[in-house]
Amino acid sequence: RILELTGAVDKRHRHAQLLDDMDLERERGITIKASMVRLSYHAKDGKDYILNLIDTPGHVDFTYEVSKSLAACEGAVLVVDAGQGIEAQTVANYYLAHENKLTIIPVINKIDLDLVDIPRVKDQITSVLGFKEEDIILASAKEGIGIQEILERIVEVVPPPEGEIAHPLKALVFDCRFDIFKGVVVFVRVVDGEITKLTQIKLMHSG
């Protein structure tokens, strides 16, 4: 829904689970591999923002995928299923984000489902995780409810990356993939310095 709202996806290419491109992910309805996407968002304040988002797994079995992604971020959108409420993995991922000193935005998703007890889920989020009730965004990805509110909250409360461009290059490699046309594509979060087309880079681990 975020990809649709920001115009990152052409209407002709829309389908369910855009970022879950593995067959198993689509079949089971879960995220296994983190996916990166770069978006341009025109906010209500009239400014254009560049958002670099990482869709991470929620399941506790994929904690490594979550932790390496969080190390590259300034903020996290913590999505709680309205039907399930807070689960053990919700609390585990909350503490991972908290340890990384991230700005955390709590969201209750699937509010369109029948028989959901939203006050109960809100109470869980406030009592277990310590958020204020007014901080919680109610959303339904299926119905497209609350999506713009999430984007507005991101640009409002999540700080932009910090760093000194004059300092020596320092960056965190947090993911990579193989593309049949481009070869190995490496995803990095630049901490200090800058990378240009002519920059010579040595990877310290492999030399």
Side-chain angles (χ1 to χ4, degrees):
R1 285 291 175 262
I2 288 174
L3 296 178
E4 287 178 6
L5 188 69
T6 55
V9 188
D10 191 299
K11 282 184 179 177
R12 292 170 300 174
H13 299 128
R14 285 183 191 175
H15 53 75
Q17 299 161 283
L18 274 165
L19 293 179
D20 291 339
D21 46 19
M22 291 167 60
D23 290 340
L24 184 61
E25 290 179 315
R26 291 176 170 283
E27 184 185 313
R28 299 284 299 278
I30 57 170
T31 303
I32 296 170
K33 179 84 179 64
S35 307
M36 279 61 64
V37 63
R38 186 181 177 107
L39 306 167
S40 178
Y41 175 60
H42 186 73
K44 286 181 179 175
D45 63 10
K47 294 179 186 172
D48 289 309
Y49 293 88
I50 294 170
L51 305 179
N52 293 292
L53 305 183
I54 307 176
D55 178 27
T56 64
H59 200 278
V60 76
D61 287 353
F62 307 113
T63 302
Y64 174 66
E65 281 289 309
V66 178
S67 60
K68 68 177 185 167
S69 300
L70 291 178
C73 291
E74 269 70 38
V77 177
L78 187 70
V79 182
V80 177
D81 187 314
Q84 307 270 10
I86 283 185
E87 299 174 276
Q89 64 205 33
T90 316
V91 179
N93 290 335
Y94 166 80
Y95 280 113
L96 275 176
H98 196 66
E99 283 166 19
N100 281 276
K101 298 182 173 62
L102 302 192
T103 302
I104 305 171
I105 300 167
V107 173
I108 299 175
N109 187 33
K110 301 187 182 178
I111 60 166
D112 58 283
L113 293 176
D114 296 330
L115 306 173
V116 293
D117 188 349
I118 291 170
R120 181 183 67 87
V121 181
K122 276 185 174 180
D123 186 55
Q124 286 182 347
I125 293 172
T126 54
S127 59
V128 178
L129 304 180
F131 289 104
K132 295 174 186 167
E133 192 172 321
E134 59 266 27
D135 293 339
I136 302 167
I137 297 174
L138 300 180
S140 163
K142 186 178 180 183
E143 303 292 336
I145 299 165
I147 311 304
Q148 184 147 23
E149 198 177 346
I150 292 169
L151 287 166
E152 286 294 326
R153 184 75 62 83
I154 290 171
V155 300
E156 182 188 328
V157 303
V158 178
E162 293 179 349
E164 294 293 335
I165 201 165
H167 287 186
L169 177 63
K170 186 164 74 174
L172 170 72
V173 176
F174 64 89
D175 208 355
C176 63
R177 64 180 171 84
F178 183 75
D179 183 284
I180 55 169
F181 299 108
K182 297 174 182 174
V184 177
V185 179
V186 180
F187 294 93
V188 298
R189 182 252 163 91
V190 177
V191 179
D192 285 320
E194 64 176 332
I195 298 174
T196 68
K197 287 180 182 178
L198 301 175
T199 305
Q200 290 280 310
I201 296 173
K202 180 178 181 179
L203 299 177
M204 304 306 287
H205 182 68
S206 61

